[in-house]
């Protein structure tokens, strides 16, 4: 189910016009994407509804607060980014190569420019504000990247390339490390190109992968 469908399902009037509800929810999420390119998450609800071309009361049919909309958008961006990582890694030769790609490429979005960079900066800036209000929802929203890592860790174990007692916890710890470096890198006054290799080298050693 898409985020627009989930938002539409929150409306008490959805049974009468689910298709219209999905369209309106989608309009507001698309408007938020456009606004974050120039404003980050600093836009107001009034600016959002104007950009989306809907009434303020329409916004409150689907989202109780602006933060609820940002949470939905956050989850969409993380899921879309992970799906794109998986697509780009399809032709890599083995689980270790895919792990390296996932771990190092997450920093590339910060340097990408345009919508991709704006989305990456939004994910960083909005994370802790949303974490305080929606801890369980944010854990679910962040899960796709840990799942990418876990899939390749399990594949590496099956192929005899890794020896780990607790793959799921390892994936979680790697996810937290990568997220922390990503957050620092997004607003670092000087970004070193070596950070990607340093991050992978630390993770490689933690996984027990031979150089």
């Amino acid at each position: 189910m898409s985020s627009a469908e989930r938002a539409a399902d929150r409306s008490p009037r959805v049974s009468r016009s689910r298709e219209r509800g999905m369209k309106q929810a989608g309009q507001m999420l698309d408007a938020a994407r456009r606004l974050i390119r120039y404003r980050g998450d600093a836009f107001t609800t009034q600016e959002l509804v104007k950009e989306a071309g809907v009434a303020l009361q329409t916004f409150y049919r689907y989202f109780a607060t602006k933060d609820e909309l940002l949470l939905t958008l956050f989850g969409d961006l993380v899921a879309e980014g992970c799906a794109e990582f998986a697509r780009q890694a399809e032709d890599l030769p083995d689980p270790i190569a895919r792990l390296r790609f996932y771990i190092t490429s997450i920093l590339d979005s910060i340097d990408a420019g345009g919508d991709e960079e704006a989305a990456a900066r939004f994910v960083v800036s909005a994370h802790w504000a949303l974490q305080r209000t929606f801890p369980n929802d944010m854990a679910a929203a962040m899960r796709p990247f840990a799942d990418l890592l876990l899939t390749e860790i399990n594949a590496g174990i099956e192929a005899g390339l890794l020896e780990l007692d607790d793959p799921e916890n390892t994936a979680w710890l790697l996810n937290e490390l990568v997220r922390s470096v990503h957050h620092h890198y997004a607003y670092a006054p000087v970004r070193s190109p070596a950070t990607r290799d340093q991050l992978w080298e630390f993770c490689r050693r933690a996984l027990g992968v031979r150089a």
Side-chain angles (χ1 to χ4, degrees):
M1 182 181 290
S2 71
S3 57
E5 289 174 311
R6 291 193 297 272
D9 283 342
R10 287 196 289 268
S11 171
R13 304 177 186 180
V14 69
S15 60
R16 288 188 291 176
S17 185
R18 189 171 190 272
E19 185 175 347
R20 182 167 180 260
M22 287 172 54
K23 180 179 179 181
Q24 289 176 330
Q27 283 176 245
M28 289 183 281
L29 290 165
D30 288 344
R33 288 173 184 261
R34 292 192 296 272
L35 288 169
I36 66 169
R37 180 168 188 174
Y38 305 104
R39 301 285 305 281
D41 58 359
F43 59 85
T44 65
T45 303
Q46 287 75 15
E47 289 171 328
L48 174 74
V49 297
K50 181 179 179 181
E51 178 70 22
V54 301
L56 185 60
Q57 65 185 22
T58 300
F59 173 87
Y60 287 115
R61 286 179 193 163
Y62 305 104
F63 303 102
T65 63
K66 174 189 164 185
D67 279 350
E68 193 172 281
L69 176 137
L70 293 180
L71 172 66
T72 301
L73 181 58
F74 186 101
D76 284 354
L77 292 172
V78 172
E80 289 166 11
C82 289
E84 179 61 17
F85 282 157
R87 186 193 67 77
Q88 292 178 9
E90 286 177 348
D91 294 332
L92 293 178
D94 58 59
I96 305 305
R98 289 189 289 274
L99 278 170
R100 178 171 186 167
F101 175 79
Y102 296 147
I103 287 169
T104 59
S105 293
I106 198 167
L107 301 184
D108 292 340
S109 59
I110 298 296
D111 297 322
D115 291 344
E116 187 177 352
E117 181 176 346
R121 286 183 177 276
F122 163 76
V123 166
V124 171
S125 64
H127 183 274
W128 287 115
L130 295 173
Q131 180 74 28
R132 290 193 297 270
T133 309
F134 307 103
N136 293 330
D137 293 301
M138 284 295 289
M142 294 296 295
R143 184 70 200 180
F145 188 72
D147 286 344
L148 276 182
L149 300 179
L150 181 59
T151 295
E152 300 307 335
I153 288 171
N154 284 331
I157 293 171
E158 186 175 344
L161 301 172
L162 297 174
E163 294 183 11
L164 296 167
D165 295 329
D166 191 345
E168 189 163 347
N169 192 53
T170 300
W172 180 81
L173 287 168
L174 288 179
N175 180 56
E176 292 300 298
L177 172 63
V178 173
R179 179 184 54 76
S180 179
V181 173
H182 180 235
H183 283 210
H184 168 77
Y185 189 81
Y187 291 99
V190 178
R191 298 181 198 151
S192 170
T195 301
R196 293 165 178 76
D197 291 337
Q198 292 167 346
L199 177 60
W200 169 245
E201 179 64 13
F202 188 94
C203 293
R204 181 188 67 77
R205 290 174 180 267
L207 290 166
V209 178
R210 292 182 180 179

